[in-house]
Amino acid sequence: MSAEFELSRNITIGQYLPTDSVVHRLDPRFKLAAFVIMILAIAICGTYVGNLFALAICIAMFWVSKIPLHYGLSGVKPAIPFIIILATLQLLFYGEIARGGTVYFQYGFVTISSESVRLVLVSAMRFVEVIFLSSVLTLSTSTTELTHGMERLLGPLQKVKFPVHAFALIITIAIRFVPTFAMEMEKMMKAQASRGADFGTGEWWRIIRRTKDMLPIIIPLFNVALARAEDLILAMEARCYMPGASRTQYTHYKANGKDYAALIISIFISVIMLYIPW
Amino acid sequence: MTSPIVDVTDLSHVYMQGTPLAHQALDRVSIQVERGECIAIIGHTGSGKSTLIQHLNGLMRPQSGKVIVNGLDVSDPKVDVRLLRRQVGLVFQNPEDQLFEKLVGDDIAYGPFKMGLPIAEVKERVEWAMELVGLSFDEMKDRPTFALSGGQKRKVALAGVLALRPHVLVLDEPTAGLDPRSRNELLQRIRRLNQEEGLTVIFVSHNMEEVARLAQRVYVMANGQIACEGTPRHIFGNSSLLQEHHIGTPEAVDILYQLLEQGYAVDTGSFLPEEAAAEILNLIKR
Amino acid sequence: MTADHPIIRVENVSFSYKVNQDQQIPVLQNVSLDVYPGEYLAIIGHNGSGKSTLSKHLNGILTPKTGDVYVNQINTRDRERIYEVRSQVGMVFQHPDNQIVATIVEDDVAFGLENIGIAAHEMRERIDASLEAVGMSAFRHRPPHHLSGGQKQRIAIAGILAMRPQCIVLDEATSMLDSYGRQDILAVIRKLHREGMTIVTVTHHMSEVAEADRVVVMEAGQIVLQGTPREVFAHQQRLRELHLDVPDASRIAALVHQEWEPFSPNLIVNEEVVEEVNRHVIKQAEASGT
């Protein structure tokens, strides 16, 4: 009850757990590349064994990066209802699409076969794998490294006029302001509650009513955000920022053996996943 | 009549309890405020001031200790929180940020409407609150809020809280960021609310001149505890106290201390410029 | 150093905000002002007097409607050379939170340097030096949202210092800070000024103004009063009409003067009041001694 309005203290986005493992010390460009490769492999791999293998690798990643597994599990927990809903929908409606295999059950449009069961289980596993991998990535990489890595990886796109620097800057600023806005929102909720507002007490189906109740928070928050953005633009301009102008970079990364090794290992794992036939 | 309107006993609060980031924001804090008093709470950023005042209208509930406001027990889970929040008007720092209606009058009416009052009474309250903060009802009620100056917006926000007709007004840094003109005017308004409307006022401030001018009694907070309590005369007149808790001094007091150090017999508790001038005249007009 | 060569020259500047098609609000009217190297200039005036708008003209954030602003003889209208203008005149704003760009302190200090194309190895040196200058070296790897307001403002100053400007403009940079944060910033500013930095500060705090070499008072978009703090604070009546305070030292001195003619009314800092008291007491002792 006393935590009714405590938002900013419970925010965990961009939570970085510095345990100084091998994974932490990887060059963020290579770490990101390896992450993307693994995610792609997970997206493609549709076999039980391949996904069990991937799941095992993901769990091993926690151990290698010295991050307690419960950090990953706490990421999975809020996703469980979603996974269940997805599984139910797949089971009900995908029977027609995922044809083949033995049919276990059929009634009306609902067909449950070994193929649709596989689809459901593999999807659920994929979900968990992606959450685990993303957790390891964000827990072992500071937001600064993440944006730097992304900026460098996307670098080649500059040739086709994609504004890579601006893109990276936007993401950095967005992350930078998450705690600020969490605090702002908390303050706004408290201030309006002090004036007699109540949020989230009405029944959930009275959506219009509940949205209306949120206006005293949303509108000021929006105004504050605009004012902050205006200030920020001024401050950036005052420090010689020009959109589109070329800039130098403070942080430089030098890849070494372990970074290349990480990349090769991730490719190797992906190939195994995709070649497992069951 | 005899019991204090705000009675806080041994209030403690720990943020993020049970994690490595646990932080004791309040540590057995006790304050008593009598009806009609004007109280200042001062102390460093992070000394627990805002955590304390959020307990006064039930935004936070006591983890341990007791908070009783106008007979309502904040620690009682069944207490009527909405009634409590009407009794204690809490004005946050930079309250002008919280305005959300297009028109001044509508924004001030938000609280009374939420109370479910009939239109006529809402209107009466808005008018009353606007006059109290020095905004003409007829002239200002239909003005768009976004077009107001910073000082005016702050008055609108204050009126929005006053329209709840609270018994206790709690303000967090009421004049921070205002220019001298708006600052002086707002201070006068608050003083009048306290003295003429009989409102009990509790305010948090970093500005010692403001504390000196407004408060009848001062609580000094440090590390989540009440470090000391007393009249401004007592607090500013005690140099060891000021130094120990790194309390800034009003400029007038600073001059008097410098004189005291040089061996002059002056009353360092004379914190107003007029009083300090009188002290100096005493020295030179012999 | 030629003292007659201003760093910033503001010549007959007028500026107005456009409200809509046919309505304009004039904010500055024919303002002229020179800022000299090594000077400590304070600009005061109540909100809406145009002081903030004026300060934003000093490094080309705003360009005048009519008139010109020169920074080291470069016209701020010259967009080709705006980098030079802005790296020579740095600016610190009011809200500590709204001027930090990066998620790590040192990256934020680097931001301006990246913009003006400084090489990485030189950046490191400059960041070291400027964090050192504001006393924030220990925080270089911290995320800024854990810092106090005063610390954030020091980071903002470091970000400006790293660009090696000749002048720093503080646009109400202490108004959102508590008294401790404000003292920190003032100490940094004092030190920079001693080392030769030109300072322009827009402020409401009269005790800050007392430290300046020169004060400019603004009202309705015009400079209405100008001089040393002593000269300006001598106009107590005029300042009151402009809804501006004077330092308590000035007020106390004036109050004593009212009752005791020989006591000087033109005092602006606390120490001067104490000295003046000393002078009178000694004089009286001598008078009664003879």
Side-chain angles (χ1 to χ4, degrees):
Chain A
M1 186 68 199
S2 76
E4 189 180 358
F5 297 109
E6 298 306 308
L7 272 178
S8 55
R9 284 165 208 276
N10 295 321
I11 271 245
T12 53
I13 294 176
Q15 197 184 40
Y16 173 58
L17 198 71
T19 59
D20 200 32
S21 71
V22 189
V23 181
H24 286 72
R25 276 176 273 132
L26 282 180
D27 184 323
R29 295 171 298 176
F30 284 75
K31 208 193 299 192
L32 261 175
F35 173 77
V36 172
I37 291 169
M38 296 276 289
I39 293 289
L40 279 178
I42 289 169
I44 298 168
C45 172
T47 58
Y48 283 125
V49 179
N51 273 288
L52 281 174
F53 175 65
L55 208 53
I57 294 287
C58 287
I59 291 167
M61 287 297 294
F62 278 92
W63 179 71
V64 177
S65 35
K66 299 183 186 162
I67 295 168
L69 187 61
H70 70 79
Y71 275 90
L73 293 175
S74 66
V76 172
K77 219 195 292 174
I80 287 174
F82 188 69
I83 294 175
I84 292 174
I85 291 170
L86 187 76
T88 318
L89 290 177
Q90 284 174 329
L91 216 49
L92 291 178
F93 300 110
Y94 273 58
E96 287 295 306
I97 300 159
R99 263 174 211 281
T102 340
V103 174
Y104 301 130
F105 176 81
Q106 187 158 27
Y107 181 79
F109 64 90
V110 181
T111 310
I112 295 174
S113 65
S114 61
E115 271 312 297
S116 64
V117 169
R118 179 208 290 268
L119 184 72
V120 167
L121 291 179
V122 165
S123 303
M125 281 200 282
R126 277 177 182 160
F127 233 101
V128 176
E129 288 154 20
V130 169
I131 290 170
F132 275 6
L133 267 191
S134 321
S135 301
V136 170
L137 179 72
T138 52
L139 286 163
S140 72
T141 323
S142 71
T143 48
T144 320
E145 283 179 313
L146 269 180
T147 45
H148 283 160
M150 193 160 45
E151 188 174 357
R152 302 308 164 14
L153 276 185
L154 295 176
L157 287 179
Q158 200 121 41
K159 292 206 178 66
V160 292
K161 294 270 157 69
F162 182 80
V164 174
H165 290 309
F167 183 70
L169 192 63
I170 289 169
I171 291 178
T172 309
I173 291 171
I175 294 171
R176 140 88 184 83
F177 276 95
V178 164
T180 312
F181 281 118
M183 246 149 82
E184 204 77 63
M185 176 140 173
E186 183 182 314
K187 190 193 129 188
M188 218 61 86
M189 289 175 75
K190 286 177 172 173
Q192 307 296 23
S194 300
R195 290 211 279 166
D198 53 329
F199 325 106
T201 46
E203 296 81 0
W204 67 268
W205 58 85
R206 298 170 72 178
I207 291 170
I208 294 173
R209 162 78 199 280
R210 291 196 61 177
T211 314
K212 234 176 121 187
D213 282 347
M214 291 303 282
L215 285 183
I217 296 171
I218 295 168
I219 293 173
L221 210 55
F222 207 76
N223 289 339
V224 169
L226 280 181
R228 281 188 187 280
E230 238 167 75
D231 277 7
L232 186 67
I233 291 167
L234 278 189
M236 285 168 66
E237 267 188 44
R239 285 206 271 164
C240 295
Y241 180 73
M242 294 278 170
S246 71
R247 310 173 72 222
T248 46
Q249 274 163 344
Y250 174 49
T251 340
H252 279 267
Y253 293 102
K254 254 212 190 90
N256 58 29
K258 68 175 188 325
D259 300 311
Y260 290 103
L263 197 62
I264 292 167
I265 291 171
S266 71
I267 294 173
F268 188 63
I269 292 170
S270 306
V271 171
I272 294 177
M273 277 167 67
L274 298 180
Y275 271 83
I276 290 177
W278 321 278
Chain B
M1 274 311 276
T2 45
S3 64
I5 189 161
V6 172
D7 191 354
V8 177
T9 334
D10 286 333
L11 178 65
S12 295
H13 189 90
V14 182
Y15 282 114
M16 305 186 79
Q17 204 157 23
T19 74
L21 296 168
H23 164 67
Q24 177 123 30
L26 291 179
D27 184 8
R28 282 166 290 135
V29 167
S30 297
I31 64 168
Q32 276 76 37
V33 180
E34 299 296 332
R35 231 167 265 274
E37 266 194 306
C38 184
I39 300 290
I41 301 176
I42 61 178
H44 274 278
T45 312
S47 59
K49 295 165 299 179
S50 39
T51 310
L52 172 61
I53 61 172
Q54 286 179 33
H55 279 87
L56 300 182
N57 78 340
L59 283 175
M60 299 179 93
R61 300 300 189 91
Q63 282 174 352
S64 74
K66 243 182 167 28
V67 178
I68 294 173
V69 180
N70 207 15
L72 292 170
D73 185 350
V74 182
S75 35
D76 177 2
K78 287 195 290 279
V79 71
D80 184 349
V81 183
R82 305 175 109 235
L83 180 66
L84 181 67
R85 289 187 190 150
R86 269 179 251 155
Q87 309 251 327
V88 182
L90 182 53
V91 183
F92 276 82
Q93 214 169 348
N94 301 105
E96 58 277 11
D97 288 348
Q98 76 201 34
L99 306 182
F100 70 99
E101 291 281 7
K102 272 206 270 318
L103 303 179
V104 168
D106 291 347
D107 203 275
I108 299 172
Y110 175 72
F113 262 126
K114 277 274 159 190
M115 290 168 67
L117 297 172
I119 297 273
E121 199 185 337
V122 171
K123 186 170 168 249
E124 187 197 314
R125 282 188 176 216
V126 171
E127 195 167 349
W128 173 79
M130 284 180 74
E131 297 300 334
L132 276 185
V133 298
L135 296 171
S136 152
F137 176 73
D138 295 319
E139 213 178 290
M140 299 295 289
K141 72 174 188 329
D142 295 325
R143 293 268 187 97
T145 41
F146 71 87
L148 302 178
S149 74
Q152 283 175 320
K153 278 188 195 170
R154 195 165 294 189
K155 284 189 196 167
V156 172
L158 178 56
V161 172
L162 288 175
L164 299 165
R165 295 240 164 118
H167 297 286
V168 184
L169 185 64
V170 183
L171 304 124
D172 192 358
E173 297 281 352
T175 66
L178 292 182
D179 68 2
R181 172 196 214 162
S182 319
R183 192 196 314 147
N184 291 334
E185 208 196 324
L186 194 64
L187 285 179
Q188 272 173 22
R189 292 285 164 191
I190 294 171
R191 188 205 301 261
R192 221 177 286 169
L193 284 171
N194 174 242
Q195 292 180 351
E196 288 168 24
E197 300 292 321
L199 210 59
T200 308
V201 174
I202 301 174
F203 70 102
V204 167
S205 180
H206 281 116
N207 184 326
M208 292 309 135
E209 273 79 21
E210 197 168 295
V211 172
R213 287 195 167 269
L214 217 55
Q216 290 159 359
R217 221 147 46 82
V218 182
Y219 282 99
V220 181
M221 290 194 72
N223 303 319
Q225 296 177 319
I226 299 290
C228 59
E229 173 268 336
T231 61
R233 207 165 292 283
H234 167 73
I235 302 277
F236 293 132
N238 186 339
S239 66
S240 59
L241 205 74
L242 296 176
Q243 269 165 18
E244 191 190 336
H245 301 295
H246 306 284
I247 305 167
T249 51
E251 278 185 63
V253 177
D254 182 54
I255 291 175
L256 292 175
Y257 271 115
Q258 289 190 30
L259 288 171
L260 188 72
E261 259 169 44
Q262 303 203 356
Y264 294 105
V266 286
D267 174 12
T268 52
S270 312
F271 49 80
L272 297 177
E274 296 76 17
E275 294 177 333
E279 291 284 326
I280 288 174
L281 278 169
N282 260 339
L283 294 178
I284 58 176
K285 253 174 99 176
R286 265 171 223 252
Chain C
M1 277 280 189
T2 46
D4 51 345
H5 226 298
I7 288 190
I8 305 172
R9 161 155 262 163
V10 178
E11 272 181 9
N12 302 319
V13 164
S14 296
F15 186 82
S16 51
Y17 282 111
K18 210 171 177 173
V19 185
N20 51 39
Q21 293 259 298
D22 34 37
Q23 210 189 342
Q24 301 226 329
I25 299 180
V27 194
L28 294 178
Q29 296 180 40
N30 235 352
V31 174
S32 295
L33 176 72
D34 286 340
V35 182
Y36 294 96
E39 198 180 13
Y40 190 160
L41 178 74
I43 305 178
I44 60 177
H46 66 75
N47 285 344
S49 61
K51 58 187 190 320
S52 235
T53 309
L54 175 61
S55 74
K56 289 188 181 74
H57 276 83
L58 302 181
N59 70 344
I61 292 284
L62 295 175
T63 44
K65 270 264 140 63
T66 62
D68 292 286
V69 178
Y70 299 93
V71 169
N72 284 327
Q73 282 139 313
I74 306 166
N75 193 320
T76 57
R77 291 177 194 282
D78 186 352
R79 291 284 121 175
E80 299 280 296
R81 299 180 74 184
I82 199 72
Y83 278 147
E84 288 174 66
V85 168
R86 288 183 183 161
S87 46
Q88 279 159 20
V89 178
M91 197 150 176
V92 182
F93 296 89
Q94 183 176 17
H95 290 272
D97 248 328
N98 301 0
Q99 38 191 331
I100 293 175
V101 179
T103 44
I104 296 289
V105 164
E106 63 170 351
D107 284 0
D108 189 73
V109 179
F111 177 74
L113 300 176
E114 292 176 330
N115 291 338
I116 56 174
I118 304 295
H121 62 275
E122 199 191 330
M123 273 195 228
R124 182 162 293 281
E125 279 167 36
R126 289 194 183 196
I127 293 169
D128 287 343
S130 54
L131 281 174
E132 183 67 44
V134 299
M136 291 293 288
S137 300
F139 295 83
R140 76 182 292 159
H141 298 295
R142 299 273 193 93
H145 67 266
H146 288 316
L147 305 181
S148 74
Q151 290 171 328
K152 283 179 196 160
Q153 283 303 56
R154 284 196 269 166
I155 298 302
I157 295 175
I160 301 292
L161 282 182
M163 297 170 77
R164 305 235 167 106
Q166 290 171 283
C167 175
I168 295 186
V169 179
L170 301 125
D171 188 0
E172 294 189 40
T174 63
S175 73
M176 303 302 280
L177 305 181
D178 64 31
S179 51
Y180 315 103
R182 204 169 88 228
Q183 290 313 323
D184 279 358
I185 298 300
L186 290 181
V188 169
I189 293 301
R190 227 171 269 143
K191 188 181 115 210
L192 291 173
H193 180 239
R194 259 203 317 275
E195 291 163 0
M197 183 72 74
T198 311
I199 309 285
V200 177
T201 177
V202 174
T203 181
H204 290 314
H205 288 276
M206 295 307 147
S207 48
E208 285 174 32
V209 176
E211 292 186 24
D213 300 324
R214 186 155 62 106
V215 188
V216 164
V217 185
M218 296 204 57
E219 168 72 12
Q222 289 174 315
I223 294 176
V224 290
L225 209 55
Q226 185 164 187
T228 63
R230 199 176 306 283
E231 288 162 1
V232 168
F233 289 135
H235 297 91
Q236 289 201 18
Q237 189 53 38
R238 180 85 179 96
L239 290 173
R240 205 165 300 135
E241 283 161 23
L242 296 170
H243 301 284
L244 292 169
D245 283 342
V246 295
D248 274 357
S250 300
R251 191 179 310 166
I252 291 170
L255 284 167
V256 177
H257 174 76
Q258 268 174 25
E259 301 288 318
W260 186 252
E261 193 72 46
F263 198 90
S264 167
N266 286 338
L267 307 175
I268 53 172
V269 292
N270 297 353
E271 285 69 22
E272 291 177 342
V273 178
V274 177
E275 269 168 41
E276 183 70 6
V277 171
N278 268 331
R279 203 171 65 83
H280 279 273
V281 170
I282 291 167
K283 214 160 71 183
Q284 231 134 64
E286 281 168 358
S288 63
T290 48

